[in-house]
Amino acid sequence: MIERRKHLTAREVEKLLAAIKGSRNEARDRCLVLLMYRHGLRVSEACGLQLEQVDTESRILHVRRLKGGLSTTQPLRSDELRVIKGWMAERSRMKPMGTAFFVSEQRKPLHRSTVNYALKHYGELAGLPVAVHPHMLRHACGYALADQGADTRLIQDYLGHRNIQHTVRYTASNPARFERLWR
């Protein structure tokens, strides 16, 4: 039976990434999933990502938020830089037209339906108990940041939420926020 949950756990994201290994679009899809998860990207933000937004030299990602969100500049971690470089090497062999960061096998900007299909497929391969869709990675990011002890305002800024009511779901249900009380 498939669970009705709107996010993935950190362990499920790891399983999703493992399921990508050996796939036809492994370099692209590993990079896509990792960046969507780590930076809380919406599917349209990931598909709309441009080459100039990914600065491997400075180790930063310029995130242009949609839906009226606040755009941010975020650091790229070592493992992210590795998958980005792997994808960029593959992308350059494809010789795509344009400046889209993620491209399809047809060398055109990646379409959201392709991402939806790929994540559903990888979720099934990974044996996850939920039907995986792209927005689950954004929610997984919020919950992972809360689990790491990030406060609500920091998560709000990181995800680009204008209204904090969209952010409180991540910290309100996290019992770890009470651990420092009564010491």
Side-chain angles (χ1 to χ4, degrees):
M1 182 171 155
I2 301 232
E3 282 183 49
R4 296 176 85 58
R5 189 167 22 105
K6 293 183 178 181
H7 72 282
L8 297 174
T9 65
R11 181 72 187 117
E12 288 170 336
V13 174
E14 288 173 19
K15 287 180 178 180
L16 191 66
L17 285 164
I20 295 170
K21 189 169 177 63
S23 70
R24 193 164 74 194
N25 297 298
E26 180 177 355
R28 180 197 69 199
D29 293 350
R30 181 174 299 286
C31 185
L32 175 71
V33 169
L34 189 60
L35 291 184
M36 286 181 73
Y37 170 59
R38 289 276 180 82
H39 299 279
L41 299 177
R42 294 176 178 94
V43 66
S44 296
E45 292 167 350
C47 291
L49 199 64
Q50 298 295 302
L51 290 170
E52 83 249 2
Q53 289 176 255
V54 184
D55 186 347
T56 56
E57 200 140 311
S58 298
R59 302 172 63 104
I60 54 174
L61 177 69
H62 301 283
V63 181
R64 288 189 198 125
R65 295 292 183 195
L66 299 176
K67 294 179 72 176
L70 303 168
S71 297
T72 57
T73 298
Q74 301 176 358
L76 290 166
R77 310 292 183 286
S78 299
D79 59 339
E80 294 171 88
L81 289 165
R82 261 192 313 281
V83 298
I84 288 168
K85 288 177 181 169
W87 164 237
M88 292 308 293
E90 180 69 27
R91 186 186 180 284
S92 68
R93 284 191 285 278
M94 294 171 71
K95 297 180 179 32
M97 303 297 285
T99 60
F101 183 75
F102 291 114
V103 294
S104 67
E105 291 176 4
Q106 291 77 37
R107 302 187 337 245
K108 295 179 181 169
L110 196 60
H111 193 270
R112 59 185 299 124
S113 63
T114 304
V115 178
N116 280 314
Y117 175 80
L119 290 180
K120 184 176 186 289
H121 174 70
Y122 294 135
E124 290 167 358
L125 280 178
L128 298 182
V130 293
V132 178
H133 58 82
H135 211 69
M136 293 177 108
L137 292 169
R138 181 169 167 81
H139 289 315
C141 175
Y143 284 112
L145 293 173
D147 289 345
Q148 292 171 29
D151 67 44
T152 307
R153 288 284 181 201
L154 183 59
I155 297 170
Q156 177 186 14
D157 290 346
Y158 194 78
L159 294 177
H161 290 155
R162 284 197 181 270
N163 184 338
I164 200 156
Q165 289 304 314
H166 297 289
T167 314
V168 294
R169 75 172 77 187
Y170 305 120
T171 52
S173 63
N174 186 342
R177 67 192 177 119
F178 298 122
E179 285 181 9
R180 289 187 297 274
L181 298 177
W182 297 100
R183 289 192 173 193

